Structures are given as C-alpha cells and as structure tokens.
Amino acid sequence: MRGGATLPSVTIDLAHEEAGSGRPVILLHAFPLSRAMFADQVAGLADQARVIAPDLRGFGESQPGADEPSLDLMADDVAGLLDRLEVEAGVVAGLSMGGYVAMAMLRRHAERVAAVVLMDTKASADDQPARENRERVARAVVEDGPSALRPMLDALLGETTRAERRGVVDMVSRWLDSVRPEAVAWAQRAMAARPDSFATLAGALVPGFVVVGEEDTMTTRDDALAMAAAFAQPPPVYVIPQAGHLSAVENPDAVTGALRDVLRRL
Ligand code: MLT
C-alpha cells in the first residue's frame, strides 16, 4: 500500500519446462517444491500431450513477487505463462498447493481450464489453528532458514517411501533445504488466506478428476472423495498405491498412468 491506494499486482514471468506436443497439460507443483517434482510426468506424458510445468512464483527458478500473499496471483502468473506460450486452454493438474492454484484458476481464468485434475489436495479452507500454524512456520523459516521445514518431511511422504525409498527421502530432503525462506513464508500466508472451493468445483463447467496417494495423511482420501462429490458430474478418483502426499514423486509411474487415463477420457 502507498498513500492508501492498493498497488496493482504484477504477474511474474514463470520459469518452466515444456515437452511434447498436442493437448496442453499444465502441471502445478506442491509447496515448497518446484517443477522438478514432475520430472517423471513431463517425460512420461510427452508422447501424448504438450506438457508444461512451471515453477510457481518464488520457487525453483521463478522470482518471488512483491505483492500481498495470494494464491490468486499464482493463478494469474500461470494464465500469463499460457499467454506467453500462446496456449488458449489446457488440462490443469495441480498437486496440493498446485491444486489450490488450479481451483483459483477455475475461479479467475475458467476459460483457460479445459479440465482440472486435483491431486493430493483439498477444497476446504484452513481453520484458525491451521492458519496460526502456517504463520508460525512462515516466521520460523524466515528466522531459522530452510531447516525449519525439516519436520515436514515425514508428513509429505507416505510410510512406504519412508521405509523403502531412501533415494526419494534424500531427494525431497534436498528440495526442502534449497527453498527461499521469503517465498516459503509468502506461500504459507497465501495458502492461509485461500477460500473454501467446494462451490467452485460445483460450478465447474469442465471435467474434473481426483488423484490421491493411499498413504496421504495431509490431504486424505476423505478430502479426495469430498472434492469428487462436489462436482456436478462426480469424477473418477485414482488412488495411488504405496504413496503419500507427494504421490507424483513417490509412485511416479502410477500418477503418470492416471494422467494418461485422464487424457484418454477427454
Ligand atoms: C503442499 O504439499 O503443497 C502443502 O502441503 C499444501 C498445504 O500446506 O496445504
């Protein structure tokens, strides 16, 4: 704010990766990660689609903005990227925070969304304790650096990954260590402010699909079923075996298979 007037928001030119041709599929990553989490899906879908995986603002190679925290701005950034790439509309598939951004796109840029895939995410807003916890994490990460995020690791990964996939645990751990603290704090505050999206799903005029790791304890199978039930045409729910919240990283082939099935159905 300056002189009492709200400054117009500025969209960020998102760094991104692109592969393949055909129907555009936009993959929106989880908090506090980057497009790197979708490496397998980018490679695995490229024979069937034009896959576009951006780094959301502040993450990976994308710059943070100076605006007030809001997932709407992340959605505007994605719409700006689609403008730059001359993509009218695509299948928008978001995992967790990426799912919140996909729902913000349904609200703000519905014409850019040909279908929506909601993966390990939820349509409910945060309650007050969850908001307070996000603020605590936001402050801790700015004060103490990325190490403040380490306790998240166990919640992000399912029990099978924690027990049997040392390489995945180490990789996600390195990702958590490489975040920008200010961007993490910004995104936590943006997620805390997000609205309930059930009405958005109920009003969606495009096909929806839901994906959930069977061991996801952060956004559970109940959250997934509740999202599916909100759509006027309840969509299929793909349950990803032996995967937790980061299903696309923990069981990448199964998530790629689900997305290939989504593309076949459209
Ligand atoms: C994510 O994986 O993007 C986060 O768990 C989302 C959240 O904190 O609600």
Side-chain angles (χ1 to χ4, degrees), residues 101-185:
V101 176
M103 291 184 258
M105 288 196 72
L106 277 177
R107 271 191 293 281
R108 294 171 71 78
H109 303 286
E111 73 288 356
R112 314 307 290 266
V113 183
V116 64
V117 188
L118 300 169
M119 305 188 279
D120 298 287
T121 191
K122 59 185 168 197
S124 52
D126 281 358
D127 58 16
Q128 195 52 30
R131 285 197 192 103
E132 285 168 9
N133 190 49
R134 288 195 194 278
E135 186 54 33
R136 190 187 57 71
V137 174
R139 286 170 195 257
V141 86
V142 170
E143 258 171 45
D144 304 335
S147 63
L149 294 176
R150 284 200 195 122
M152 271 189 87
L153 187 63
D154 279 356
L156 286 175
L157 300 173
E159 54 182 344
T160 305
T161 299
R162 280 184 271 126
E164 296 174 16
R165 301 180 183 121
R166 194 66 242 167
V168 173
V169 176
D170 290 346
M171 180 171 66
V172 175
S173 192
R174 279 197 301 278
W175 288 343
L176 294 182
D177 280 344
S178 63
V179 297
R180 289 186 190 86
E182 297 295 343
V184 166

Side-chain angles (χ1 to χ4, degrees), residues 18-25 45-52 87 89-90 263:
E18 204 179 327
S21 59
R23 187 192 286 276
V25 176
L45 295 171
D47 66 334
Q48 212 181 345
R50 178 181 178 188
V51 195
I52 299 164
V87 170
L263 290 169

Side-chain angles (χ1 to χ4, degrees), residues 4-21:
T6 305
L7 289 173
S9 61
V10 178
T11 55
I12 301 290
D13 282 351
L14 300 180
H16 70 284
E17 182 170 351
E18 204 179 327
S21 59

Side-chain angles (χ1 to χ4, degrees), residues 26 28 71-72 74-80 82 90 92 98-113 116 200:
I26 300 104
L28 303 178
L71 293 174
D72 288 351
M74 283 180 159
D76 294 353
D77 293 340
V78 176
L82 297 184
V92 178
Y100 305 154
V101 176
M103 291 184 258
M105 288 196 72
L106 277 177
R107 271 191 293 281
R108 294 171 71 78
H109 303 286
E111 73 288 356
R112 314 307 290 266
V113 183
V116 64
T200 302

Side-chain angles (χ1 to χ4, degrees), residues 29 52 62 73 75 85 89 100 117 122 193 221 228-229 233 235 239-241:
H29 64 80
I52 299 164
S62 289
L73 296 178
L85 297 178
Y100 305 154
V117 188
K122 59 185 168 197
R221 202 187 287 212
Q233 298 277 332
V239 179
I240 305 300

Side-chain angles (χ1 to χ4, degrees), residues 30-31 95-97 100 134 152 156 191 218 245:
F31 167 91
L95 194 145
S96 199
M97 179 178 76
Y100 305 154
R134 288 195 194 278
M152 271 189 87
L156 286 175
M191 290 190 285
M218 291 185 81
H245 189 59

